[in-house]
Amino acid sequence: YPKKERDIDWEKQDTVLEVKDLCLPKKGGGWLLDHVSFKLKRGEILGIYGLMGAGRTEVFECLMGLHPEHTGEVYVDGKKIKIKNIAEQIKNGFALVPEDRQAEGLVQTLDIEKNISLSSLKTCCNKFVLSKQKEDEYVDAQIKDIHIKVADRKLPILSLSGGNQQKVVIGKGLLTKPKILLLDEPSRGIDIGAKTEVFEIIEDLAKSGLSCIVISSELKEILSIADRIIVLSNGKVTGEFTG
């Protein structure tokens, strides 16, 4: 993986997200997340590295409103937000590309087109009627934008390769116009060519001002993509590395 160079003075960039003392209790005592704090700048790719069970995915789940029992403070653009549920967090500007795209990222019985437009049907609706034309425009733009290789968008989603399925999940996340994109192991189970493409997509998104947090357990991978990396171990932040 080639290391990308970005000449950006991160000190001068706005802080889009600040997480303070995020804690998530473990059933039976102890912590899944133990006072985790970090900041994310506009257009930055922040890597979260750690072993299985270090608490990486839990950070994302808390940010998406899946753990109402978490404590701590979360600020978006300097304003403290109250995390209620997924729908609210999408409104607050978050989008998640989950690790298990088959189970969580895609609806396997729907075709490619519907899988892409699913998260943003509201935008395509005119009062209560789905505007087919609007949906088509959105889907086309997204397919073109992130180079989904598709012969026919009416094909079943599982007819796509793993890499293209992953791009559909990313495309779906982007249609809600997020400020902060959370990517959990985005290159898992896809071939090396698709990996490079997925990373290029993430880099382009960051260049356009989207702030991304990427979880990866592959060290080389996270070193090549992230502007800054925090390391989690047993629910604690144990290190932070830049450049």
Side-chain angles (χ1 to χ4, degrees), residues 83 100 149 193 214 218:
I83 297 179
D100 184 353
K149 294 189 179 67
V214 180
E218 282 193 40

Side-chain angles (χ1 to χ4, degrees), residues 140 149 169:
D140 279 342
K149 294 189 179 67
V169 182

Side-chain angles (χ1 to χ4, degrees), residues 12-26:
K12 288 185 180 149
Q13 294 295 320
D14 298 343
T15 298
V16 174
L17 172 71
E18 183 171 5
V19 172
K20 283 185 184 169
D21 293 328
L22 186 62
C23 291
L24 184 61
K26 199 187 266 183

Side-chain angles (χ1 to χ4, degrees), residues 21-61:
D21 293 328
L22 186 62
C23 291
L24 184 61
K26 199 187 266 183
K27 285 190 180 103
W31 302 99
L32 285 166
L33 295 174
D34 187 351
H35 297 84
V36 170
S37 300
F38 61 88
K39 288 179 179 174
L40 175 68
K41 301 282 191 175
R42 185 174 318 288
E44 183 180 29
I45 301 173
L46 174 66
I48 299 185
Y49 179 76
L51 303 172
M52 292 292 287
R56 302 168 313 173
T57 300
E58 283 77 5
V59 171
F60 281 6
E61 289 172 353

Side-chain angles (χ1 to χ4, degrees), residues 32 35 44-45 47 73 78 97 113 119 121 132 147 160 165 171 175 192 199 208-209 227 240-241:
L32 285 166
H35 297 84
E44 183 180 29
I45 301 173
E73 297 175 356
V97 175
E113 161 183 270
S119 62
L121 288 178
K132 190 71 195 96
H147 319 294
L160 287 179
Q165 284 178 30
L175 279 181
I192 194 86
F199 285 170
S208 73
D227 298 303
E240 183 172 325
F241 302 94

Side-chain angles (χ1 to χ4, degrees), residues 72 92 109 127 132 146 203:
N92 282 329
T109 49
K127 297 209 173 70
K132 190 71 195 96
I146 55 177
E203 280 172 24

Side-chain angles (χ1 to χ4, degrees), residues 54-203:
R56 302 168 313 173
T57 300
E58 283 77 5
V59 171
F60 281 6
E61 289 172 353
C62 288
L63 288 175
M64 288 310 292
L66 293 168
H67 290 295
E69 71 277 24
H70 79 262
T71 56
E73 297 175 356
V74 177
Y75 298 84
V76 174
D77 291 332
K79 289 190 198 74
K80 188 173 174 180
I81 60 165
K82 188 143 178 53
I83 297 179
K84 294 186 192 130
N85 53 42
I86 292 183
E88 278 300 306
Q89 284 308 89
I90 290 174
K91 270 189 203 151
N92 282 329
F94 289 82
L96 171 64
V97 175
E99 177 180 17
D100 184 353
R101 59 179 166 268
Q102 294 284 347
E104 296 165 29
L106 300 169
V107 182
Q108 306 195 356
T109 49
L110 291 179
D111 59 23
I112 295 165
E113 161 183 270
K114 280 286 181 268
N115 262 289
I116 295 180
S117 66
L118 204 57
S119 62
S120 60
L121 288 178
K122 261 200 199 120
T123 343
C124 307
C125 277
N126 181 359
K127 297 209 173 70
F128 296 105
V129 185
L130 184 65
S131 152
K132 190 71 195 96
Q133 185 191 352
K134 235 177 173 182
E135 184 186 21
D136 286 352
E137 282 167 22
Y138 270 111
V139 173
D140 279 342
Q142 213 50 63
I143 284 179
K144 203 166 104 215
D145 250 16
I146 55 177
H147 319 294
I148 298 168
K149 294 189 179 67
V150 49
D152 176 3
R153 41 201 260 193
K154 294 277 185 256
L155 287 170
I157 188 77
L158 296 184
S159 68
L160 287 179
S161 68
N164 280 306
Q165 284 178 30
Q166 181 63 311
K167 290 184 208 167
V168 167
V169 182
I170 293 174
K172 184 176 109 180
L174 293 176
L175 279 181
T176 59
K177 304 263 187 293
K179 286 179 197 167
I180 297 158
L181 186 63
L182 308 175
L183 299 124
D184 195 348
E185 298 276 7
S187 67
R188 201 188 77 164
I190 59 183
D191 64 69
I192 194 86
K195 244 181 213 191
T196 311
E197 276 188 50
V198 166
F199 285 170
E200 277 169 7
I201 291 167
I202 296 169
E203 280 172 24

